[in-house]
Amino acid sequence: MVLVDTSAWIEWLIASPTADRLAEHMPEQAEWLVPTMVQLELAKWLTRELGEEKADQVIAFTQVCQVIPLNTEIALAAAEACRAHRLATADAIIFVTARLRGATLLTCDAHFDGLPGVTLISKVSA
């Protein structure tokens, strides 16, 4: 199972130079975990940057993946991850969701570097 962080989604969706490096790590649709926090971040970014139609298309794709809603177990573990790893709330929710599901977290965000279960693909300059 792979949880694709919002940063990796964005690089992939805009076909950035980093997207080529991400491609080999992207899971098959059945292996793709999508926390509701990632749906929120994607909907917000996509609507602002690419328009509502593109946002609707991407969110529709996420809905046929394994969507993981925020629940009390994730929330409490994320609170601990905020403290232990100095993560922002959304990042902690995403990180903990991957950990609790035994999934790899695929990200382009350097603040996840060195955390267990993380595959960091550093952004490539254009």
Side-chain angles (χ1 to χ4, degrees):
M1 301 303 295
V2 178
L3 192 159
V4 180
D5 182 41
T6 309
S7 63
W9 270 97
I10 291 170
E11 296 296 321
W12 183 58
L13 289 168
I14 65 171
S16 76
T18 306
D20 292 336
R21 295 180 54 220
L22 283 165
E24 67 187 73
H25 300 281
M26 292 301 225
E28 296 294 321
Q29 194 169 16
E31 297 293 312
W32 203 306
L33 294 182
V34 182
T36 51
M37 180 59 68
V38 169
Q39 288 179 315
L40 180 154
E41 291 180 329
L42 282 173
K44 182 179 162 185
W45 185 88
L46 287 162
T47 301
R48 182 183 69 238
E49 300 295 326
L50 302 177
E52 196 167 320
E53 184 176 329
K54 184 65 172 179
D56 289 346
Q57 291 171 355
V58 173
I59 297 304
F61 173 85
T62 68
Q63 291 176 314
V64 295
C65 299
Q66 294 185 44
V67 176
I68 311 298
L70 178 60
N71 61 27
T72 302
E73 178 186 20
I74 294 168
L76 295 176
E80 175 60 23
C82 286
R83 186 196 62 72
H85 302 295
R86 298 181 169 263
L87 294 172
T89 300
D91 292 331
I93 291 167
I94 292 164
F95 172 70
V96 164
T97 301
R99 298 296 297 154
L100 290 174
R101 294 295 176 128
T104 299
L105 174 58
L106 178 61
T107 186
C108 297
D109 283 338
H111 53 262
F112 288 112
D113 191 21
L115 294 180
V118 172
T119 299
L120 174 64
I121 306 299
S122 298
K123 292 182 184 180
V124 176
S125 300

